Amino acid sequence: MSTSETTRFVRLRVDLVLEIDGPAELTEAAEGRIDGDEFMPEEERVQARAAAREDSAEALAYLVEPFDLIREVPGIEMVQASWSTEEVEYDPDALEWDLGEEDGEAEYEEGTEGDEDTDGDGRA
């Protein structure tokens, strides 16, 4: 059976770190989204507004829609989506924020520019 004849599932992972420099604007936008959600029961809406006011990460969660990332990608159908937000301590120099390492990519080190294996013998 060829690849085109089989159903293939792909997990797309996106990891973003955002700096919130306008918490009031973020909260206002989240409350607007909450108020505009015609399917949200009023009791849940009250709780959602309170959560968005207390926590910028919660406010952001009400504004993020994973489907928007893939809406216009042809040949796919989203079968499941989940996302979460959390406030974090961010240090761009810390190893945990080196996103290339997670994918198995070699870390770029200063001074290695031009040191590449051009003849395939495993040596630079």
mmCIF file with all atom_site columns, all heavy atoms in Angstrom, residues 7 9 13 16 18 31 37 56-57 69 78 89 94-95 106 116 123-124:
data_model
loop_
_atom_site.group_PDB
_atom_site.id
_atom_site.type_symbol
_atom_site.label_atom_id
_atom_site.label_alt_id
_atom_site.label_comp_id
_atom_site.label_asym_id
_atom_site.label_entity_id
_atom_site.label_seq_id
_atom_site.pdbx_PDB_ins_code
_atom_site.Cartn_x
_atom_site.Cartn_y
_atom_site.Cartn_z
_atom_site.occupancy
_atom_site.B_iso_or_equiv
_atom_site.pdbx_formal_charge
_atom_site.auth_seq_id
_atom_site.auth_comp_id
_atom_site.auth_asym_id
_atom_site.auth_atom_id
_atom_site.pdbx_PDB_model_num
ATOM 1   N N   . THR A 1 7   ? -4.012  6.366  5.621  1.00 0.00 ? 7   THR A N   1
ATOM 2   C CA  . THR A 1 7   ? -4.311  7.543  6.421  1.00 0.00 ? 7   THR A CA  1
ATOM 3   C C   . THR A 1 7   ? -3.108  7.821  7.288  1.00 0.00 ? 7   THR A C   1
ATOM 4   O O   . THR A 1 7   ? -2.568  6.927  7.921  1.00 0.00 ? 7   THR A O   1
ATOM 5   C CB  . THR A 1 7   ? -5.540  7.297  7.311  1.00 0.00 ? 7   THR A CB  1
ATOM 6   O OG1 . THR A 1 7   ? -6.639  6.960  6.476  1.00 0.00 ? 7   THR A OG1 1
ATOM 7   C CG2 . THR A 1 7   ? -5.875  8.516  8.126  1.00 0.00 ? 7   THR A CG2 1
ATOM 8   N N   . PHE A 1 9   ? -1.474  10.291 10.317 1.00 0.00 ? 9   PHE A N   1
ATOM 9   C CA  . PHE A 1 9   ? -1.709  11.264 11.364 1.00 0.00 ? 9   PHE A CA  1
ATOM 10  C C   . PHE A 1 9   ? -0.379  11.910 11.722 1.00 0.00 ? 9   PHE A C   1
ATOM 11  O O   . PHE A 1 9   ? 0.634   11.227 11.818 1.00 0.00 ? 9   PHE A O   1
ATOM 12  C CB  . PHE A 1 9   ? -2.311  10.602 12.607 1.00 0.00 ? 9   PHE A CB  1
ATOM 13  C CG  . PHE A 1 9   ? -3.682  10.056 12.363 1.00 0.00 ? 9   PHE A CG  1
ATOM 14  C CD1 . PHE A 1 9   ? -3.853  8.735  11.981 1.00 0.00 ? 9   PHE A CD1 1
ATOM 15  C CD2 . PHE A 1 9   ? -4.790  10.867 12.501 1.00 0.00 ? 9   PHE A CD2 1
ATOM 16  C CE1 . PHE A 1 9   ? -5.117  8.229  11.743 1.00 0.00 ? 9   PHE A CE1 1
ATOM 17  C CE2 . PHE A 1 9   ? -6.057  10.375 12.259 1.00 0.00 ? 9   PHE A CE2 1
ATOM 18  C CZ  . PHE A 1 9   ? -6.216  9.052  11.886 1.00 0.00 ? 9   PHE A CZ  1
ATOM 19  N N   . ARG A 1 13  ? 3.613   20.104 16.931 1.00 0.00 ? 13  ARG A N   1
ATOM 20  C CA  . ARG A 1 13  ? 3.869   20.735 18.231 1.00 0.00 ? 13  ARG A CA  1
ATOM 21  C C   . ARG A 1 13  ? 4.427   22.130 17.993 1.00 0.00 ? 13  ARG A C   1
ATOM 22  O O   . ARG A 1 13  ? 5.380   22.290 17.237 1.00 0.00 ? 13  ARG A O   1
ATOM 23  C CB  . ARG A 1 13  ? 4.863   19.922 19.034 1.00 0.00 ? 13  ARG A CB  1
ATOM 24  C CG  . ARG A 1 13  ? 4.330   18.585 19.416 1.00 0.00 ? 13  ARG A CG  1
ATOM 25  C CD  . ARG A 1 13  ? 5.358   17.825 20.202 1.00 0.00 ? 13  ARG A CD  1
ATOM 26  N NE  . ARG A 1 13  ? 4.926   16.453 20.307 1.00 0.00 ? 13  ARG A NE  1
ATOM 27  C CZ  . ARG A 1 13  ? 4.974   15.756 21.408 1.00 0.00 ? 13  ARG A CZ  1
ATOM 28  N NH1 . ARG A 1 13  ? 5.444   16.289 22.506 1.00 0.00 ? 13  ARG A NH1 1
ATOM 29  N NH2 . ARG A 1 13  ? 4.557   14.513 21.427 1.00 0.00 ? 13  ARG A NH2 1
ATOM 30  N N   . LEU A 1 16  ? 5.529   28.237 22.100 1.00 0.00 ? 16  LEU A N   1
ATOM 31  C CA  . LEU A 1 16  ? 5.748   29.685 22.041 1.00 0.00 ? 16  LEU A CA  1
ATOM 32  C C   . LEU A 1 16  ? 5.993   30.226 23.443 1.00 0.00 ? 16  LEU A C   1
ATOM 33  O O   . LEU A 1 16  ? 5.358   29.782 24.391 1.00 0.00 ? 16  LEU A O   1
ATOM 34  C CB  . LEU A 1 16  ? 4.509   30.393 21.483 1.00 0.00 ? 16  LEU A CB  1
ATOM 35  C CG  . LEU A 1 16  ? 4.030   29.997 20.105 1.00 0.00 ? 16  LEU A CG  1
ATOM 36  C CD1 . LEU A 1 16  ? 2.679   30.626 19.820 1.00 0.00 ? 16  LEU A CD1 1
ATOM 37  C CD2 . LEU A 1 16  ? 5.039   30.421 19.073 1.00 0.00 ? 16  LEU A CD2 1
ATOM 38  N N   . LEU A 1 18  ? 5.746   33.929 25.077 1.00 0.00 ? 18  LEU A N   1
ATOM 39  C CA  . LEU A 1 18  ? 5.273   35.277 24.775 1.00 0.00 ? 18  LEU A CA  1
ATOM 40  C C   . LEU A 1 18  ? 5.530   36.195 25.963 1.00 0.00 ? 18  LEU A C   1
ATOM 41  O O   . LEU A 1 18  ? 5.343   35.790 27.105 1.00 0.00 ? 18  LEU A O   1
ATOM 42  C CB  . LEU A 1 18  ? 3.773   35.252 24.475 1.00 0.00 ? 18  LEU A CB  1
ATOM 43  C CG  . LEU A 1 18  ? 3.323   34.265 23.402 1.00 0.00 ? 18  LEU A CG  1
ATOM 44  C CD1 . LEU A 1 18  ? 1.818   34.185 23.359 1.00 0.00 ? 18  LEU A CD1 1
ATOM 45  C CD2 . LEU A 1 18  ? 3.876   34.665 22.063 1.00 0.00 ? 18  LEU A CD2 1
ATOM 46  N N   . GLU A 1 31  ? -11.887 39.164 27.615 1.00 0.00 ? 31  GLU A N   1
ATOM 47  C CA  . GLU A 1 31  ? -13.269 39.370 28.064 1.00 0.00 ? 31  GLU A CA  1
ATOM 48  C C   . GLU A 1 31  ? -14.200 39.580 26.864 1.00 0.00 ? 31  GLU A C   1
ATOM 49  O O   . GLU A 1 31  ? -15.330 39.111 26.869 1.00 0.00 ? 31  GLU A O   1
ATOM 50  C CB  . GLU A 1 31  ? -13.351 40.546 29.026 1.00 0.00 ? 31  GLU A CB  1
ATOM 51  C CG  . GLU A 1 31  ? -12.750 40.226 30.379 1.00 0.00 ? 31  GLU A CG  1
ATOM 52  C CD  . GLU A 1 31  ? -12.828 41.377 31.360 1.00 0.00 ? 31  GLU A CD  1
ATOM 53  O OE1 . GLU A 1 31  ? -12.729 42.555 30.937 1.00 0.00 ? 31  GLU A OE1 1
ATOM 54  O OE2 . GLU A 1 31  ? -12.969 41.092 32.556 1.00 0.00 ? 31  GLU A OE2 1
ATOM 55  N N   . ASP A 1 37  ? -18.873 34.691 23.037 1.00 0.00 ? 37  ASP A N   1
ATOM 56  C CA  . ASP A 1 37  ? -19.058 33.251 22.845 1.00 0.00 ? 37  ASP A CA  1
ATOM 57  C C   . ASP A 1 37  ? -20.513 32.889 23.124 1.00 0.00 ? 37  ASP A C   1
ATOM 58  O O   . ASP A 1 37  ? -20.912 32.737 24.278 1.00 0.00 ? 37  ASP A O   1
ATOM 59  C CB  . ASP A 1 37  ? -18.116 32.469 23.757 1.00 0.00 ? 37  ASP A CB  1
ATOM 60  C CG  . ASP A 1 37  ? -18.145 30.979 23.511 1.00 0.00 ? 37  ASP A CG  1
ATOM 61  O OD1 . ASP A 1 37  ? -19.107 30.483 22.867 1.00 0.00 ? 37  ASP A OD1 1
ATOM 62  O OD2 . ASP A 1 37  ? -17.212 30.291 23.970 1.00 0.00 ? 37  ASP A OD2 1
ATOM 63  N N   . SER A 1 56  ? -2.965  36.368 33.423 1.00 0.00 ? 56  SER A N   1
ATOM 64  C CA  . SER A 1 56  ? -2.736  36.671 32.011 1.00 0.00 ? 56  SER A CA  1
ATOM 65  C C   . SER A 1 56  ? -2.655  35.409 31.158 1.00 0.00 ? 56  SER A C   1
ATOM 66  O O   . SER A 1 56  ? -3.058  35.410 29.994 1.00 0.00 ? 56  SER A O   1
ATOM 67  C CB  . SER A 1 56  ? -1.439  37.479 31.851 1.00 0.00 ? 56  SER A CB  1
ATOM 68  O OG  . SER A 1 56  ? -1.579  38.744 32.418 1.00 0.00 ? 56  SER A OG  1
ATOM 69  N N   . ALA A 1 57  ? -2.129  34.328 31.719 1.00 0.00 ? 57  ALA A N   1
ATOM 70  C CA  . ALA A 1 57  ? -2.056  33.075 30.969 1.00 0.00 ? 57  ALA A CA  1
ATOM 71  C C   . ALA A 1 57  ? -3.464  32.563 30.651 1.00 0.00 ? 57  ALA A C   1
ATOM 72  O O   . ALA A 1 57  ? -3.727  32.068 29.549 1.00 0.00 ? 57  ALA A O   1
ATOM 73  C CB  . ALA A 1 57  ? -1.269  32.021 31.749 1.00 0.00 ? 57  ALA A CB  1
ATOM 74  N N   . LEU A 1 69  ? -4.097  28.143 13.130 1.00 0.00 ? 69  LEU A N   1
ATOM 75  C CA  . LEU A 1 69  ? -2.765  27.837 12.597 1.00 0.00 ? 69  LEU A CA  1
ATOM 76  C C   . LEU A 1 69  ? -2.830  27.033 11.306 1.00 0.00 ? 69  LEU A C   1
ATOM 77  O O   . LEU A 1 69  ? -1.952  27.140 10.463 1.00 0.00 ? 69  LEU A O   1
ATOM 78  C CB  . LEU A 1 69  ? -1.949  27.049 13.617 1.00 0.00 ? 69  LEU A CB  1
ATOM 79  C CG  . LEU A 1 69  ? -1.549  27.781 14.883 1.00 0.00 ? 69  LEU A CG  1
ATOM 80  C CD1 . LEU A 1 69  ? -0.923  26.800 15.874 1.00 0.00 ? 69  LEU A CD1 1
ATOM 81  C CD2 . LEU A 1 69  ? -0.571  28.898 14.559 1.00 0.00 ? 69  LEU A CD2 1
ATOM 82  N N   . MET A 1 78  ? -8.211  18.535 10.853 1.00 0.00 ? 78  MET A N   1
ATOM 83  C CA  . MET A 1 78  ? -7.819  18.465 12.255 1.00 0.00 ? 78  MET A CA  1
ATOM 84  C C   . MET A 1 78  ? -8.721  17.454 12.952 1.00 0.00 ? 78  MET A C   1
ATOM 85  O O   . MET A 1 78  ? -9.948  17.543 12.856 1.00 0.00 ? 78  MET A O   1
ATOM 86  C CB  . MET A 1 78  ? -7.929  19.827 12.938 1.00 0.00 ? 78  MET A CB  1
ATOM 87  C CG  . MET A 1 78  ? -7.447  19.764 14.372 1.00 0.00 ? 78  MET A CG  1
ATOM 88  S SD  . MET A 1 78  ? -7.169  21.354 15.175 1.00 0.00 ? 78  MET A SD  1
ATOM 89  C CE  . MET A 1 78  ? -8.732  22.164 15.000 1.00 0.00 ? 78  MET A CE  1
ATOM 90  N N   . GLU A 1 89  ? 9.003   31.433 34.287 1.00 0.00 ? 89  GLU A N   1
ATOM 91  C CA  . GLU A 1 89  ? 10.195  32.252 34.407 1.00 0.00 ? 89  GLU A CA  1
ATOM 92  C C   . GLU A 1 89  ? 10.981  32.007 33.135 1.00 0.00 ? 89  GLU A C   1
ATOM 93  O O   . GLU A 1 89  ? 11.248  30.860 32.784 1.00 0.00 ? 89  GLU A O   1
ATOM 94  C CB  . GLU A 1 89  ? 11.017  31.851 35.624 1.00 0.00 ? 89  GLU A CB  1
ATOM 95  C CG  . GLU A 1 89  ? 10.320  32.122 36.939 1.00 0.00 ? 89  GLU A CG  1
ATOM 96  C CD  . GLU A 1 89  ? 10.077  33.605 37.189 1.00 0.00 ? 89  GLU A CD  1
ATOM 97  O OE1 . GLU A 1 89  ? 10.952  34.433 36.833 1.00 0.00 ? 89  GLU A OE1 1
ATOM 98  O OE2 . GLU A 1 89  ? 9.011   33.943 37.718 1.00 0.00 ? 89  GLU A OE2 1
ATOM 99  N N   . ALA A 1 94  ? 19.077  29.926 29.353 1.00 0.00 ? 94  ALA A N   1
ATOM 100 C CA  . ALA A 1 94  ? 18.977  28.641 30.041 1.00 0.00 ? 94  ALA A CA  1
ATOM 101 C C   . ALA A 1 94  ? 18.807  27.514 29.028 1.00 0.00 ? 94  ALA A C   1
ATOM 102 O O   . ALA A 1 94  ? 18.164  27.674 27.987 1.00 0.00 ? 94  ALA A O   1
ATOM 103 C CB  . ALA A 1 94  ? 17.795  28.659 31.010 1.00 0.00 ? 94  ALA A CB  1
ATOM 104 N N   . LEU A 1 95  ? 19.381  26.366 29.321 1.00 0.00 ? 95  LEU A N   1
ATOM 105 C CA  . LEU A 1 95  ? 19.319  25.217 28.414 1.00 0.00 ? 95  LEU A CA  1
ATOM 106 C C   . LEU A 1 95  ? 17.889  24.770 28.127 1.00 0.00 ? 95  LEU A C   1
ATOM 107 O O   . LEU A 1 95  ? 17.586  24.306 27.035 1.00 0.00 ? 95  LEU A O   1
ATOM 108 C CB  . LEU A 1 95  ? 20.123  24.050 28.986 1.00 0.00 ? 95  LEU A CB  1
ATOM 109 C CG  . LEU A 1 95  ? 21.635  24.222 28.951 1.00 0.00 ? 95  LEU A CG  1
ATOM 110 C CD1 . LEU A 1 95  ? 22.308  23.042 29.610 1.00 0.00 ? 95  LEU A CD1 1
ATOM 111 C CD2 . LEU A 1 95  ? 22.122  24.393 27.522 1.00 0.00 ? 95  LEU A CD2 1
ATOM 112 N N   . ALA A 1 106 ? 21.823  19.762 16.365 1.00 0.00 ? 106 ALA A N   1
ATOM 113 C CA  . ALA A 1 106 ? 23.070  20.110 17.037 1.00 0.00 ? 106 ALA A CA  1
ATOM 114 C C   . ALA A 1 106 ? 23.043  21.581 17.409 1.00 0.00 ? 106 ALA A C   1
ATOM 115 O O   . ALA A 1 106 ? 22.580  22.419 16.653 1.00 0.00 ? 106 ALA A O   1
ATOM 116 C CB  . ALA A 1 106 ? 24.252  19.814 16.125 1.00 0.00 ? 106 ALA A CB  1
ATOM 117 N N   . GLU A 1 116 ? 32.856  22.340 8.705  1.00 0.00 ? 116 GLU A N   1
ATOM 118 C CA  . GLU A 1 116 ? 31.863  21.373 8.251  1.00 0.00 ? 116 GLU A CA  1
ATOM 119 C C   . GLU A 1 116 ? 32.548  20.233 7.512  1.00 0.00 ? 116 GLU A C   1
ATOM 120 O O   . GLU A 1 116 ? 33.648  20.362 6.984  1.00 0.00 ? 116 GLU A O   1
ATOM 121 C CB  . GLU A 1 116 ? 30.808  22.034 7.387  1.00 0.00 ? 116 GLU A CB  1
ATOM 122 C CG  . GLU A 1 116 ? 31.349  22.925 6.312  1.00 0.00 ? 116 GLU A CG  1
ATOM 123 C CD  . GLU A 1 116 ? 30.251  23.706 5.627  1.00 0.00 ? 116 GLU A CD  1
ATOM 124 O OE1 . GLU A 1 116 ? 29.082  23.562 5.986  1.00 0.00 ? 116 GLU A OE1 1
ATOM 125 O OE2 . GLU A 1 116 ? 30.584  24.456 4.718  1.00 0.00 ? 116 GLU A OE2 1
ATOM 126 N N   . ARG A 1 123 ? 35.189  14.166 9.537  1.00 0.00 ? 123 ARG A N   1
ATOM 127 C CA  . ARG A 1 123 ? 36.075  15.175 10.151 1.00 0.00 ? 123 ARG A CA  1
ATOM 128 C C   . ARG A 1 123 ? 35.805  16.531 9.520  1.00 0.00 ? 123 ARG A C   1
ATOM 129 O O   . ARG A 1 123 ? 35.497  16.629 8.347  1.00 0.00 ? 123 ARG A O   1
ATOM 130 C CB  . ARG A 1 123 ? 37.532  14.798 9.924  1.00 0.00 ? 123 ARG A CB  1
ATOM 131 C CG  . ARG A 1 123 ? 37.927  13.511 10.608 1.00 0.00 ? 123 ARG A CG  1
ATOM 132 C CD  . ARG A 1 123 ? 39.405  13.281 10.426 1.00 0.00 ? 123 ARG A CD  1
ATOM 133 N NE  . ARG A 1 123 ? 39.750  13.348 9.014  1.00 0.00 ? 123 ARG A NE  1
ATOM 134 C CZ  . ARG A 1 123 ? 40.423  12.399 8.385  1.00 0.00 ? 123 ARG A CZ  1
ATOM 135 N NH1 . ARG A 1 123 ? 40.839  11.339 9.010  1.00 0.00 ? 123 ARG A NH1 1
ATOM 136 N NH2 . ARG A 1 123 ? 40.716  12.516 7.106  1.00 0.00 ? 123 ARG A NH2 1
ATOM 137 N N   . ALA A 1 124 ? 36.002  17.549 10.314 1.00 0.00 ? 124 ALA A N   1
ATOM 138 C CA  . ALA A 1 124 ? 35.819  18.919 9.823  1.00 0.00 ? 124 ALA A CA  1
ATOM 139 C C   . ALA A 1 124 ? 37.032  19.369 9.059  1.00 0.00 ? 124 ALA A C   1
ATOM 140 O O   . ALA A 1 124 ? 38.107  18.906 9.230  1.00 0.00 ? 124 ALA A O   1
ATOM 141 C CB  . ALA A 1 124 ? 35.536  19.869 10.980 1.00 0.00 ? 124 ALA A CB  1
#
